[in-house]
Amino acid sequence: LPGVAFDVVWSNLLLQWVNDLPRAFGELRRVLKVGGLLTFTTFGPDTLDEVRRAFARADGHTHTNRFVDMHDLGDMLVHAGFADPVMDQETITLNWRDPDALLAELRALGGNAHPSRHAGLRTPRWRRQLVEALSRAAGAEGRPALDFEVVYGHAFRPQPRLRVAPETQVPIDALRASLRSRGTPRS
């Protein structure tokens, strides 16, 4: 995209799929106009914790992304050159009728997108172990539930700051010449 082109950039549930967030925030800053607003939602680290534990019981491998904490996201925004980042979060709990419905929906959402996920097919025995682990984690009604930590954030692209050198040197002859041109008496 061309630089300095947009007043607002809005990202809804996309950032959790980005492997290099600092670079992505740098690019988002690059395309925003001065005073432009970046606003986004993404998932926080408590998202899919129930599935993470169920997979750990089934085979011990990682099957879900690790989501970034909102405080770390705020730090990344500042490092990328954004100003006044504001972060908030809430947890939304969703229920399914059974583990199979839960897994079908996660699969449709791309819920097995971890970069080091198992590349091959799984056995029916493995699937039974996973479904049993999800069933054990179900609530009192017997319906499996998942928590989604939704992180909300926004920040602005600030006015550019003038770079000031940590040290300035002025030759004494230049100071004298400046004083003479003002008509200031010499001491």
Side-chain angles (χ1 to χ4, degrees):
L1 297 172
V4 193
F6 301 100
D7 293 313
V8 175
V9 173
W10 178 53
S11 171
N12 186 33
L13 297 177
L14 173 74
L15 294 176
Q16 69 268 8
W17 304 115
V18 174
N19 288 325
D20 189 353
L21 278 172
R23 182 173 177 218
F25 284 141
E27 282 297 297
L28 291 169
R29 183 187 178 282
R30 183 184 67 79
V31 301
L32 274 174
K33 293 178 183 176
V34 171
L37 172 68
L38 166 65
T39 183
F40 63 89
T41 58
T42 189
F43 291 134
D46 290 337
T47 300
L48 301 179
D49 192 48
E50 302 86 353
V51 170
R52 206 175 347 278
R53 287 193 310 264
F55 275 122
R57 281 190 219 91
D59 66 11
H61 293 286
T62 301
H63 295 266
T64 60
N65 287 5
R66 282 290 181 193
F67 305 110
V68 179
D69 182 76
M70 72 175 180
H71 301 96
D72 295 332
L73 290 168
D75 291 345
M76 287 180 210
L77 287 167
V78 170
H79 284 42
F82 282 96
D84 304 324
V86 175
M87 308 297 298
D88 198 3
Q89 67 84 283
E90 70 176 319
T91 300
I92 298 171
T93 302
L94 301 177
N95 293 282
W96 283 264
R97 71 177 179 275
D98 57 45
D100 289 322
L102 180 152
L103 291 171
E105 190 160 345
L106 283 181
R107 191 171 29 262
L109 292 173
N112 187 17
H114 192 275
S116 63
R117 69 187 178 274
H118 182 75
L121 297 174
R122 299 298 189 151
T123 65
R125 180 175 169 256
W126 176 88
R127 178 156 175 90
R128 276 192 307 277
Q129 288 175 327
L130 177 62
V131 168
E132 286 171 13
L134 288 169
S135 295
R136 281 193 300 263
E141 298 174 8
R143 294 168 46 112
L146 291 180
D147 289 335
F148 290 83
E149 179 185 354
V150 181
V151 175
Y152 305 95
H154 73 260
F156 295 90
R157 180 176 178 172
Q159 289 284 341
R161 293 184 190 171
L162 295 176
R163 299 246 182 228
V164 178
E167 181 179 300
T168 302
Q169 295 181 2
V170 180
I172 191 74
D173 291 337
L175 286 175
R176 287 183 182 138
S178 174
L179 290 173
R180 281 188 206 120
S181 68
R182 291 186 185 168
T184 307
R186 291 173 61 190
S187 24

